[in-house]
Amino acid sequence: MKAYKKTMIITVLITLFPILIGLALWNKLPDQLPTHWDAGSQVDGWTDKAKAIFFLPCLMAVIQVVVAFCMFADPKAKNIHKKLLIVSIWNVPILSICLNAASYMTALGVQISMTVL
């Protein structure tokens, strides 16, 4: 874990970065933001703006920390291949950026294909 401490701090900050984007766009975003899409890329779930901007990235950051803790607490963690470990550490931050960007862009009227994303 100590070898990845800096990486964990960076990935948690990246996971929380959509909060800053949401605050910058606060006045342009509607009161409800899309947070769920069906298989046809149609929005079928909406969340209050404050919850979408603050709660969802924070929840993903908690998930990021829990996943990392579980990986590093595993007694066989030494046997995890370095590439798999890197992918596991960076998975949640990339999802956070992509999904929050899709939510903000959809709320602002940009058509997003969730199938492609």
Side-chain angles (χ1 to χ4, degrees):
M1 175 77 173
K2 289 182 182 181
Y4 293 96
K5 186 176 181 179
K6 187 185 244 185
T7 303
M8 284 305 303
I9 291 170
I10 290 168
T11 56
V12 168
L13 291 174
I14 290 171
T15 303
L16 295 172
F17 183 70
I19 293 173
L20 296 177
I21 302 299
L23 289 173
L25 296 171
W26 186 272
N27 292 329
K28 295 178 182 177
L29 293 171
D31 290 336
Q32 297 284 316
L33 282 120
T35 52
H36 193 270
W37 291 260
D38 64 15
S41 294
Q42 298 298 316
V43 177
D44 64 355
W46 299 84
T47 303
D48 178 60
K49 178 169 41 175
K51 286 181 186 175
I53 290 174
F54 295 108
F55 178 71
L56 295 178
C58 289
L59 177 64
M60 292 186 87
V62 168
I63 291 169
Q64 167 74 357
V65 171
V66 169
V67 166
F69 177 76
C70 289
M71 278 191 325
F72 292 119
D74 181 10
K76 296 183 180 182
K78 296 175 252 184
N79 297 332
I80 298 174
H81 194 277
K82 186 176 180 177
K83 288 181 182 178
L84 178 61
L85 192 61
I86 297 292
V87 167
S88 299
I89 290 172
W90 282 96
N91 195 21
V92 173
I94 291 169
L95 278 173
S96 177
I97 294 292
C98 291
L99 295 177
N100 283 291
S103 179
Y104 297 160
M105 291 186 339
T106 302
L108 294 171
V110 177
Q111 292 294 325
I112 301 289
S113 172
M114 291 306 287
T115 307
V116 173
L117 182 63

